[in-house]
Amino acid sequence: MQPFLALLALACAAGSTAEQHWCYEIQAKEPNSNCIAPAQWPGDCQKNHQSPINIDTSKAKVNPNLKPFTFTGYNQKKKWEVVNDKHSVKVLLGDGISIAGGDLPAQYQAEQLHLHWSKESDRGSEHSIDGKHFAMEMHIVHKKEPSSNEVQGAKDNIAVLAFMVKVGDQVNEGFQPLVEALSHISTPNTNTTMKESSLQNMLPQKEKLVHYFRYQGSLTTPDCSETVIWTVFQEPIKLNQNQFQEFSTKLYYDQERKLNMKDNVRPLQQLGDRQVFRSRAPGQLLSLPLPTLLIPTLTCLVASFLQ
């Protein structure tokens, strides 16, 4: 009898563990919820070099090595698979898309992009800039191309490009294929194929992509592995209000369609002993406000005139 009871207890414990999964705060607050809220996420999530963070632009140091990226395959038009993975909408990017430059130690292959959002336009981004959150945040996740000397779990194995998204007046045609796909993946673990689209058409103009911030951090979902080189671009993507609202109205966390997918955002983490760096765009002389630059110049001109 005792061995049977022991096996029964083990089976119950295993069943309980299987039922529990990580979730966002909005899900954990639901009645009868059995998921793990962000404060208790497992893995590396309780370590000290976590993401997302608030980026204080006044404390970001200029790094002259943060030069423009080389985007390969970003202009290719493809019909990507898009998935509701229970936590976000994910676009599977496949092969042939990569980045280099930007002071990255190697070439990185794009794997997927996903988004974080809220129903409100000022709380949907994971990162904040000078304390300001945006409507959404898009992450393009790249993995370092394998090499003979690659170290498992190295701090630079993943490179994520993060784009803030704000609400504007005009329809963003580059985002429209993704927006139109949302109604076909309303419930978890469903997928569809987007209309032909390119990554380049979803992003700000290329000349704007020279302004960005850089820091070392983690994945923003469990296991929160601290293996990510983060690049957070200064120029936001702009979506029309209707396009923005489609994400929080068409997608659901559950099969029963009781809880709309929104607020899929990890709370801000402490920067700790890390340093945030910023790029210096070509032709950018000094990161000083215009009056600071003009006053000495005008003083010299007046002095020369009076001599």
Side-chain angles (χ1 to χ4, degrees):
M1 186 69 177
Q2 284 184 340
F4 173 76
L5 290 175
L7 285 171
L8 187 62
L10 283 171
C12 289
S16 174
T17 304
E19 288 176 9
Q20 275 206 322
H21 60 278
W22 69 268
C23 65
Y24 292 103
E25 197 66 43
I26 187 173
Q27 297 169 277
K29 289 179 179 178
E30 284 290 290
N32 304 317
S33 171
N34 189 36
C35 63
I36 304 170
Q40 286 80 42
W41 280 355
D44 290 349
C45 301
Q46 308 304 320
K47 290 188 175 180
N48 297 324
H49 290 171
Q50 291 289 295
S51 300
I53 60 168
N54 174 58
I55 294 173
D56 185 338
T57 59
S58 68
K59 294 180 180 178
K61 290 185 179 179
V62 172
N63 181 349
N65 295 322
L66 296 179
K67 295 175 181 177
F69 286 90
T70 299
F71 298 95
T72 301
Y74 267 61
N75 60 346
Q76 295 178 10
K77 290 196 172 182
K78 295 187 177 183
K79 294 181 178 180
W80 289 305
E81 182 182 359
V82 57
V83 180
N84 177 338
D85 70 353
K86 299 192 295 184
H87 304 292
S88 179
V89 52
K90 183 184 290 185
V91 180
L92 307 180
L93 297 175
D95 299 324
I97 302 173
S98 63
I99 55 171
D103 202 33
L104 295 176
Q107 185 162 315
Y108 287 73
Q109 183 78 28
E111 293 194 332
Q112 49 98 348
L113 73 79
H114 62 270
L115 294 106
H116 302 266
W117 63 88
S118 177
K119 195 172 182 180
E120 288 77 31
S121 60
D122 60 352
R123 54 182 288 184
S125 65
E126 293 205 299
H127 289 87
S128 60
I129 299 178
D130 291 331
K132 176 186 177 183
H133 284 273
F134 290 77
M136 307 178 76
E137 182 171 309
M138 183 172 79
H139 295 160
I140 308 180
V141 181
H142 304 73
K143 192 167 185 181
K144 191 172 168 183
E145 295 196 348
S147 64
S148 57
N149 59 352
E150 184 168 344
V151 178
Q152 186 70 25
K155 289 184 178 294
D156 60 3
N157 277 350
I158 298 170
V160 179
L161 305 186
F163 296 86
M164 303 298 111
V165 182
K166 66 186 297 186
V167 177
D169 296 326
Q170 295 185 340
V171 171
N172 186 326
E173 296 296 343
F175 250 79
Q176 194 56 24
L178 175 56
V179 172
E180 290 175 4
L182 299 179
S183 59
H184 300 287
I185 55 166
S186 289
T187 55
N189 302 318
T190 53
N191 64 289
T192 188
T193 302
M194 288 170 53
K195 290 181 180 177
E196 197 172 62
S197 178
S198 77
L199 277 180
Q200 184 173 287
N201 289 342
M202 298 178 76
L203 304 184
Q205 294 179 342
K206 193 172 181 180
E207 57 268 25
K208 300 285 189 181
L209 301 182
V210 296
H211 301 279
Y212 59 87
F213 301 96
R214 165 67 51 76
Y215 80 99
Q216 188 70 41
S218 74
L219 298 174
T220 64
T221 58
D223 62 354
C224 309
S225 147
E226 294 183 345
T227 58
V228 182
I229 299 174
W230 279 95
T231 301
V232 181
F233 288 92
Q234 194 169 322
E235 182 70 16
I237 295 168
K238 293 179 182 176
L239 292 189
N240 173 271
Q241 176 71 27
N242 291 333
Q243 289 180 305
F244 164 60
Q245 291 294 341
E246 287 288 281
F247 287 83
S248 57
T249 56
K250 289 291 194 296
L251 299 173
Y252 292 87
Y253 284 117
D254 57 324
Q255 295 288 350
E256 297 76 23
R257 305 190 187 202
K258 292 181 179 178
L259 183 62
N260 289 90
M261 188 177 283
K262 59 183 180 179
D263 298 325
N264 52 351
V265 177
R266 187 188 190 191
L268 290 173
Q269 306 295 301
Q270 293 297 318
L271 179 62
D273 60 1
R274 291 172 288 176
Q275 175 66 54
V276 176
F277 297 95
R278 67 187 309 162
S279 63
R280 177 179 287 170
Q284 182 183 348
L285 296 176
L286 292 169
S287 55
L288 293 173
L290 187 59
T292 308
L293 296 172
L294 285 178
I295 291 170
T297 306
L298 292 173
T299 303
C300 290
L301 287 173
V302 172
S304 300
F305 179 78
L306 292 175
Q307 283 179 353

